[in-house]
Amino acid sequence: MPQTRREFLGAALGLTAIPLLAACGAPAPVQPAVAPTTISAAAPKPAAAAAAQGAAIFANPQPQAPSDKPPTYGGTLVAPTYGDPLFGGDTMFGALSVTFTATYPVNGDGSFVKQARDDVYKIAPHLADSWENNATYTEWVFKIRDGVTWHDGTAFTAQDAAWWLNLGLFGARSGDKIRPPAIWGRVLGDVDLVDTPDASHVRIKLRGPEPLLPLNLATQQVAHPRHLMQPRIDQGDVMVTPSDVGWVSVGPFKLTQYDKGSRIQFKRHDGYWEKDAKGNKLPYLDGISMPYVRDANAMDNAFTGGQIDAGIRNSNFALSKSRLETYRKTLGDKFYLAQIGFNPYGLHFNVTRPGPFQDVRVRKAVAMWIDQAGMTEVLGGFAQAETFLRPTNPYNDPEFLQWPGWNVATQAADRAEAKRLLAEAGFPTGFEATILSQQNWQPWAVYYQGQLSDLGIKANLDLKDAGTYTQLTATKDPQWELKVSGITSVTHPWLLKDALNAVSHGGVGMAHDDPHVVELFDRMKAVLPDEARTKAVYSELQRYMIRDQPYVVPTFSQLYEIPYRSYVQGLYPPAENTYHNLDFATVWLDK
């Protein structure tokens, strides 16, 4: 039976006084986590109940239940992508959907651990079949699973696992050539050492406590075969990528053909270790074909015409209500939808530079004025109300649905108060401002521009390409005044630290230097992994950053509606994280 996180934490996070692994040389073993473990034992509030509290949640129900037939082997899934994987398929260097779509079948859905297939809020064993920690969370030991092989038949060992993690955390050097650490290296905490105390275990030592280290490891991909890459690094090729060594990895499928700009082909890795609940080997499919589809119209025509079996998990391809109606008229019940929450978008204030938005009354006026529900049509008709966490997240606090700007029942009074606050701040007739936005977010920016105009604030749009936008926003000295931006999607509130914290403390998403936000994250870390106390601190953080001192005005987030043919079974669509279960190991074709 799966353990709840509360049960797991009591056994595996030092709440018992049993010693750690003797091989680690630490005094107190704990029981390993061998089953999926929940991030929180709290039950999420149903969407309908949340909607009744204030703002509606615009969702489309799943129209199809899983098949009750036993899975069958064989067949090729035609699941398109929209472009070539970047950086040679190296997820240490880039984290974009066009790369992940191609790498998950090859690398697998996780590293030592993963998000459980049937619940994105649980952590499950993967390349490690158990893990343990000391009482202060400064030392973690992972037991590497027996029987895992690279695609070329070489055994995957604890030494391979430690080498991969060291490469990601610390990079590599050959002569005067340097490979930088992975873009995800810092999320694991202040790691001091990664080694192998014996032939089966990987040990991670940290300079400070990291109670959620398995959570941070769950979304990384092991894609770097030591036996093939280390010789290349020794020869000076420090930036060697998976494509340079033939995409040899440990996932359920092997890459067999890559026609750049056209198609990627995979076939089953017969040596893959994972089995289903009845002990049957995975994957079920013979292979996967990924033809490139460049735009939504082409995807619609290919899907309704029977050329592809799945849609593309990307915002430019997610179905709108009008396109969904065409699918229904054309296909009837021959398809179903995977509904996946994506990043909420928000209007961010820069309070690190002089101007009207230094005044909390101005920020409150904007937050109270913007019509949250009105964003639904801009998002194509499918959206949900959220701030920093999904409505399905166990830590989510739906209190925000009662706040001014969110509660549709009080909109008239809220807008009157917004006008009063703006006048009290010295701007009875408004002022001019500039909104920075990526070009592909123009519909969002135009919506905010119109809302601000109605309040009396004339907002000029400054639209930039993605690269320029990133350069302007990924800085400790932000120069923009207002910006449109996604709000990082995470499964645990502690993982919001980098996105929401003060700029002087590593915050990269907001533009404030508020010591109280720093204090709140310090308090949150101090109570980890206690669920109830963590949720209480998160609720206070949510209230402070959105209602009391608005640093961002989150608006309704997009719900991706991804079509799949009715014969595509075993998919496990996640509530969030569009990349989850993209290895297709459990998918089978009922035809």
Side-chain angles (χ1 to χ4, degrees):
M1 293 291 290
Q3 292 175 294
T4 68
R5 183 168 178 80
R6 192 181 304 276
E7 292 165 342
F8 161 59
L9 291 171
L13 295 184
L15 300 185
T16 64
I18 317 177
L20 185 68
L21 268 175
C24 298
V30 290
Q31 298 189 6
V34 296
T37 56
T38 61
I39 290 173
S40 170
K45 186 177 289 294
Q53 297 183 49
I57 293 177
F58 300 84
N60 192 61
Q62 297 281 352
Q64 184 187 47
S67 172
D68 57 1
K69 300 178 182 178
T72 57
Y73 286 91
T76 297
L77 177 74
V78 184
T81 185
Y82 61 97
D84 294 303
L86 305 176
F87 311 109
D90 198 330
T91 57
M92 287 189 178
F93 299 148
L96 297 174
S97 60
V98 71
T99 298
F100 282 158
T101 300
T103 59
Y104 270 111
V106 173
N107 300 334
D109 204 353
S111 59
F112 301 172
V113 295
K114 67 181 179 182
Q115 294 172 327
R117 290 199 181 279
D118 60 348
D119 189 339
V120 75
Y121 303 115
K122 294 178 181 177
I123 302 301
H126 192 53
L127 297 178
D129 54 23
S130 63
W131 58 94
E132 303 175 332
N133 62 275
N134 64 4
T136 58
Y137 320 125
T138 57
E139 185 166 306
W140 291 81
V141 178
F142 294 84
K143 162 65 171 61
I144 300 303
R145 185 183 300 277
D146 294 329
V148 178
T149 63
W150 296 96
H151 291 157
D152 62 4
T154 303
F156 176 80
T157 66
Q159 288 73 26
D160 291 334
W163 183 89
W164 164 79
L165 190 52
N166 274 307
L167 186 69
L169 289 170
F170 307 117
R173 179 189 293 270
S174 180
D176 61 351
K177 296 179 180 179
I178 297 174
R179 177 189 177 105
I183 57 174
W184 47 259
R186 65 193 299 263
V187 305
L188 298 185
D190 191 4
V191 177
D192 181 46
L193 173 73
V194 177
D195 67 0
T196 51
D198 59 39
S200 300
H201 294 87
V202 173
R203 175 171 54 190
I204 303 172
K205 289 186 174 183
L206 301 113
R207 296 183 180 92
E210 288 296 336
L212 301 181
L213 186 135
L215 183 70
N216 291 320
L217 272 173
T219 55
Q220 314 312 330
Q221 299 180 44
V222 174
H224 302 76
R226 176 176 61 114
H227 63 289
L228 299 178
M229 285 191 166
Q230 185 62 59
R232 297 280 294 262
I233 293 173
D234 292 341
Q235 294 167 11
D237 186 10
V238 295
M239 300 302 288
V240 59
T241 67
S243 65
D244 296 327
V245 294
W247 304 84
V248 171
S249 194
V250 291
F253 294 92
K254 298 179 181 182
L255 189 145
T256 57
Q257 185 175 345
Y258 174 25
D259 299 326
K260 190 172 183 179
S262 176
R263 180 183 297 267
I264 306 174
Q265 301 278 132
F266 306 87
K267 73 173 183 179
R268 178 193 293 119
H269 171 33
D270 290 329
Y272 187 58
W273 60 271
E274 192 176 2
K275 296 181 180 180
D276 67 14
K278 294 185 177 180
N280 300 310
K281 285 185 57 121
L282 296 177
Y284 302 119
L285 295 168
D286 287 337
I288 303 169
S289 177
M290 289 187 178
Y292 289 10
V293 175
R294 301 298 186 180
D295 59 61
N297 288 334
M299 186 191 82
D300 294 347
N301 292 334
F303 190 90
T304 56
Q307 297 169 289
I308 59 177
D309 301 324
I312 297 175
R313 296 190 191 181
N314 178 271
S315 59
N316 295 326
F317 295 86
L319 293 183
S320 63
K321 282 189 174 181
S322 60
R323 290 168 56 215
L324 177 57
E325 281 306 307
T326 300
Y327 276 53
R328 285 176 170 158
K329 289 178 182 178
T330 305
L331 296 174
D333 62 357
K334 295 180 180 178
F335 78 105
Y336 66 95
L337 298 174
Q339 186 180 84
I340 306 172
F342 193 62
N343 288 357
Y345 287 89
L347 184 66
H348 295 237
F349 304 105
N350 186 349
V351 299
T352 66
R353 54 177 287 173
F357 298 112
Q358 284 270 354
D359 193 320
V360 68
R361 293 169 296 184
V362 174
R363 302 198 303 273
K364 283 186 174 182
V366 173
M368 296 175 77
W369 184 272
I370 289 179
D371 178 9
Q372 311 287 353
M375 182 63 83
T376 305
E377 291 307 314
V378 182
L379 294 170
F382 297 113
Q384 60 188 2
E386 61 181 273
T387 56
F388 303 136
L389 298 176
R390 294 284 178 269
T392 49
N393 192 297
Y395 287 94
N396 177 56
D397 185 347
E399 177 195 18
F400 70 91
L401 293 168
Q402 297 296 315
W403 296 345
W406 292 91
N407 192 336
V408 294
T410 63
Q411 186 180 75
D414 295 341
R415 288 192 155 193
E417 176 64 7
K419 285 281 192 180
R420 189 196 69 78
L421 284 171
L422 202 62
E424 184 182 285
F427 303 102
T429 59
F431 55 89
E432 287 196 34
T434 300
I435 301 176
L436 175 67
S437 174
Q438 284 193 37
Q439 291 170 342
N440 60 325
W441 295 339
Q442 184 173 353
W444 287 255
V446 169
Y447 181 77
Y448 294 132
Q449 182 186 43
Q451 291 286 299
L452 292 175
S453 176
D454 292 341
L455 179 58
I457 299 174
K458 181 182 178 182
N460 303 300
L461 299 187
D462 184 13
L463 302 177
K464 303 293 187 183
D465 63 83
T468 303
Y469 175 90
T470 300
Q471 290 177 345
L472 292 171
T473 56
T475 172
K476 293 183 179 180
D477 184 25
Q479 297 300 307
W480 48 270
E481 188 173 21
L482 295 167
K483 74 168 180 178
V484 178
S485 182
I487 300 172
T488 300
S489 173
V490 298
T491 54
H492 190 283
W494 173 244
L495 304 183
L496 290 164
K497 176 174 62 72
D498 288 341
L500 304 186
N501 216 341
V503 292
S504 62
H505 284 68
V508 295
M510 301 291 162
H512 70 82
D513 212 5
D514 190 330
H516 186 57
V517 175
V518 177
E519 178 198 352
L520 286 168
F521 277 113
D522 287 344
R523 283 170 48 195
M524 186 182 296
K525 186 168 186 178
V527 300
L528 293 174
D530 185 285
E531 299 159 7
R533 295 166 72 190
T534 300
K535 184 173 182 178
V537 177
Y538 168 70
S539 297
E540 185 177 344
L541 176 74
Q542 175 184 257
R543 188 180 315 116
Y544 183 76
M545 295 196 69
I546 297 173
R547 189 194 69 179
D548 299 343
Q549 293 281 338
Y551 294 129
V552 59
V553 183
T555 44
F556 277 55
S557 73
Q558 189 170 13
L559 282 170
Y560 282 5
E561 301 286 352
I562 312 299
Y564 289 88
R565 285 283 182 162
S566 57
Y567 50 74
V568 177
Q569 294 293 324
L571 185 66
Y572 297 110
E576 58 176 287
N577 184 0
T578 56
Y579 311 128
H580 189 45
N581 286 333
L582 273 182
D583 65 352
F584 297 122
T586 59
V587 168
W588 57 282
L589 303 180
D590 185 16
K591 66 175 183 178

